[in-house]
Amino acid sequence: MFNRKNTKFLLTGIMLLSSIISVHAVEFGVFGDVNYNDTSQAGGSNAFALGSLDFYAMQEIDDKTRAFFEMVFEEHDNQNFVDLERLWIRRNLNDNLNISAGRFHTPLGYWNRNYHHGALLYDTATRPGFLDFEDGAGSILPLHFVGILFDGKVRAANGSLGYELQFGNGPSYNTSAGYGGGEIEVNNISDPNRSKSPGARITYNFNDIPLTLGLAAMSNNISESGLSGNASGIISGQTLVQQFISAADLEFKGDKVDVLAEYYSLKNDDKFGSAGSHTGKAYYIQLGYQITASLKPVYRYESVNFDDNDIYFLILNRRQENRHVLALRYDLSESNVLKFQAMNVSPKTGGAYNEYIIQWAFLIP
Amino acid sequence: MGKFKKISNWIIASSLLFAGLPCFADVVVVANKAITADSLNAKQISDLWLAKSEFISGSGKVVVVDQVSGTPVYNYFYKNIVKKNGSQLKAYWAKIIFSGKRLPPSVLANDAAVIEWVASTPAGLGYVTGASVNETVKVLFRSP
């Protein structure tokens, strides 16, 4: 079967192959989810619904530099959208410092910095309503930015201290079509004004207990992005709201019990009208209990409260509400998960309703 | 000539057969001699190779390397020490990569490459079969 020549060739080939040092290939992955929704809301209906399809990849370009992108295909109001959610290049400067440039999730809170757009990663079928992304109906926070990010981790007494510092284009809003007609704009390639948004988050991980604490802050001059003046005489680039966001978050991940909580305070100053300064707040607390390795019930309480005259929430046309979310997560494997969720939504103005979701979320690694 | 041919065939066939077998014993974790730690336990090793930790107490930051997926030493290491199978590992790293924080360890081709890299990298750690260990590296863990 083998002659001597072939045998030598084969052995040489095996030896050659075995001496090759592998390098990192591009690491691709896909997150996706499919849902069935029902609601008790007047005029609502039940439906099967495609969630988002999330492609991401990361590659080590050299021994100190890596690049990453995340693109999400999703549908709103029966229209397809492709969003470049994250795109960055990062250089490791030393053991405690990286510098990155591109588009990121803002360093605000645990959920935004850890779950990104991957439905499989979180235990409930939906994100907390006020942490919806900028194109979500309930979003109140600028959750993406384009600019530069410094981050790193240093060892501390009984744990490690992580930090993230952002500096980038500030969010804006187009009021040309009135209030509530659009979304917070991230400004990927331009910025209506010269004011940039600084932000920071520090986290502390304990060595002995599975606990992470975080504190974050961000300052924004939210400007008009409409090209021409609107009915109120606001011109492009004019500051609508001067905003300061402060936040705290906690993650405890025990063997059986886990707790997630985030609190946000949004101080909003009206810069073109006379609504004045107001502070809104939003928070959630989520408790999970791992019954078996694959079965986990979760409860979450969410609340959004602000002054009726707060110009920021008037512009966004958001509402005050409380939510109770009860979910059961069943891990079929590491790469696909079934979630059953019941949610009670109570707007401050009345008209509480329930929503029910069955979600099958997956990861193609 | 005929005898050599037979032996060659036997060697190749055996190599191919054993390469596919999951049965394996005596995997050791080796470190550069500059690392001051004298031993590691399975939990510490698991944390290092899953990028849950980059530090060894008293020795500072370390860098780990992997072996080629599917080889007996790789299969034994992940099944018996890290306690994850192939699909669990793929899903685990997909989630870590998605976070943008880490990439899986670099892969070296075989025991000799790992030994050479560890010996020449001051913070380097790797795993190899027991028979491949030599005096250029120190052993921090030996599989039971």
Side-chain angles (χ1 to χ4, degrees):
Chain A
M1 192 180 288
F2 292 111
N3 61 32
R4 193 172 174 182
K5 207 174 177 184
N6 284 344
T7 307
K8 269 186 176 173
F9 178 75
L10 252 174
L11 286 172
T12 311
I14 289 168
M15 284 169 72
L16 268 175
L17 277 174
S18 67
S19 68
I20 292 171
I21 295 175
S22 304
V23 293
H24 281 301
V26 179
E27 303 279 355
F28 285 100
V30 179
F31 281 101
D33 59 286
V34 181
N35 303 276
Y36 174 78
N37 307 316
D38 200 354
T39 179
S40 68
Q41 200 169 13
S45 180
N46 58 339
F48 291 95
L50 298 179
S52 58
L53 187 63
D54 183 328
F55 288 86
Y56 67 94
M58 185 154 72
Q59 163 79 329
E60 204 153 70
I61 296 171
D62 61 40
D63 60 344
K64 288 185 177 295
T65 314
R66 63 182 63 159
F68 177 95
F69 77 83
E70 179 188 11
M71 293 186 77
V72 174
F73 296 75
E74 54 195 348
E75 192 163 313
H76 301 294
D77 304 323
N78 287 321
Q79 281 189 299
N80 290 308
F81 293 90
V82 182
D83 288 332
L84 184 59
E85 301 291 356
R86 288 184 286 164
L87 170 69
W88 50 252
I89 182 163
R90 172 179 298 163
R91 180 91 179 156
N92 174 243
L93 299 180
N94 62 46
D95 283 354
N96 310 121
L97 175 63
N98 302 302
I99 180 171
S100 312
R103 178 174 157 131
F104 310 84
H105 286 133
T106 48
L108 286 174
Y110 181 89
W111 201 290
N112 197 43
R113 291 299 293 169
N114 286 276
Y115 295 144
H116 306 285
H117 296 258
L120 177 114
L121 300 178
Y122 42 88
D123 293 333
T124 50
T126 55
R127 301 163 65 88
F130 65 86
L131 287 176
D132 270 346
F133 290 111
E134 288 87 343
D135 46 11
S139 76
I140 61 169
L141 293 161
L143 296 180
H144 295 87
F145 82 97
V146 174
I148 56 174
L149 182 79
F150 297 92
D151 75 288
K153 196 173 253 192
V154 291
R155 299 189 82 190
N158 288 312
S160 58
L161 187 69
Y163 67 90
E164 295 167 305
L165 305 171
Q166 78 157 69
F167 188 71
N169 293 342
S172 62
Y173 195 88
N174 186 343
T175 65
S176 301
Y179 293 170
E183 59 192 50
I184 302 168
E185 292 170 1
V186 179
N187 294 313
N188 284 342
I189 57 169
S190 62
D191 195 345
N193 64 14
R194 298 193 62 81
S195 173
K196 298 292 164 278
S197 286
R201 178 169 181 249
I202 55 169
T203 55
Y204 189 84
N205 291 80
F206 293 84
N207 281 341
D208 303 329
I209 42 175
L211 176 66
T212 303
L213 301 175
L215 290 172
M218 185 180 184
S219 174
N220 300 309
N221 279 335
I222 300 167
S223 58
E224 172 64 53
S225 59
L227 289 177
S228 57
N230 68 11
S232 306
I234 306 163
I235 59 169
S236 181
Q238 183 174 346
T239 299
L240 301 170
V241 180
Q242 190 162 12
Q243 181 180 66
F244 185 79
I245 301 170
S246 49
D249 59 87
L250 172 155
E251 186 221 12
F252 174 82
K253 196 160 182 57
D255 290 338
K256 289 282 183 189
V257 176
D258 59 64
V259 182
L260 262 185
E262 295 184 41
Y263 176 89
Y264 293 86
S265 166
L266 297 92
K267 183 174 181 294
N268 301 311
D269 289 331
D270 184 353
K271 289 297 177 185
F272 75 96
S274 54
S277 177
H278 300 280
T279 301
K281 64 180 181 182
Y283 64 90
Y284 76 83
I285 179 164
Q286 178 175 300
L287 310 168
Y289 184 80
Q290 198 79 49
I291 295 175
T292 67
S294 55
L295 193 64
K296 183 178 181 183
V298 176
Y299 168 75
R300 183 171 70 226
Y301 177 73
E302 306 170 24
S303 181
V304 179
N305 297 286
F306 50 83
D307 190 285
D308 289 338
N309 296 312
D310 190 320
I311 189 64
Y312 178 67
F313 292 101
L314 284 172
I315 287 174
L316 294 179
N317 194 23
R318 297 298 186 244
R319 67 186 183 195
Q320 299 180 68
E321 64 177 30
N322 299 322
R323 294 183 180 193
H324 296 274
V325 181
L326 196 59
L328 185 67
R329 175 188 174 112
Y330 181 68
D331 285 68
L332 294 161
S333 75
E334 295 76 18
S335 304
N336 75 111
V337 169
L338 275 174
K339 301 178 201 172
F340 305 88
Q341 176 174 302
M343 176 166 68
N344 174 264
V345 183
S346 301
K348 185 187 171 189
T349 50
Y353 59 92
N354 298 322
E355 285 187 355
Y356 308 95
I357 302 173
I358 300 172
Q359 181 181 75
W360 197 353
F362 61 89
L363 161 67
I364 303 173
Chain B
M1 184 79 87
K3 200 174 178 184
F4 174 79
K5 190 174 162 186
K6 266 187 184 172
I7 291 170
S8 303
N9 290 350
W10 186 85
I11 289 171
I12 291 167
S14 315
S15 303
L16 292 171
L17 181 68
F18 280 102
L21 284 179
C23 171
F24 203 81
D26 196 23
V27 166
V28 296
V29 172
V30 292
N32 184 279
K33 287 185 169 178
I35 291 175
T36 53
D38 291 324
S39 65
L40 291 173
N41 59 39
K43 171 75 168 61
Q44 288 173 301
I45 293 166
S46 174
D47 285 352
L48 288 169
W49 262 268
L50 295 177
K52 291 178 178 174
S53 170
E54 295 177 288
F55 296 92
I56 295 177
S57 184
S59 297
K61 193 169 180 176
V62 296
V63 185
V64 303
V65 287
D66 221 336
Q67 295 243 22
V68 177
S69 170
T71 55
V73 66
Y74 173 98
N75 290 344
Y76 185 92
F77 179 76
Y78 279 101
K79 183 183 174 193
N80 296 288
I81 301 170
V82 180
K83 310 279 187 197
K84 281 197 185 290
N85 64 32
S87 62
Q88 287 173 326
L89 266 178
K90 276 182 90 173
Y92 176 82
W93 278 111
K95 292 168 193 170
I96 299 291
I97 292 162
F98 184 66
S99 76
K101 291 173 183 166
R102 297 266 195 286
L103 278 165
S106 296
V107 178
L108 297 181
N110 51 31
D111 282 1
V114 171
I115 294 281
E116 188 182 340
W117 181 86
V118 168
S120 60
T121 308
L125 267 99
Y127 61 88
V128 294
T129 53
S132 300
V133 177
N134 62 31
E135 71 287 350
T136 62
V137 294
K138 67 195 285 189
V139 174
L140 297 187
F141 176 88
R142 190 176 289 274
S143 64

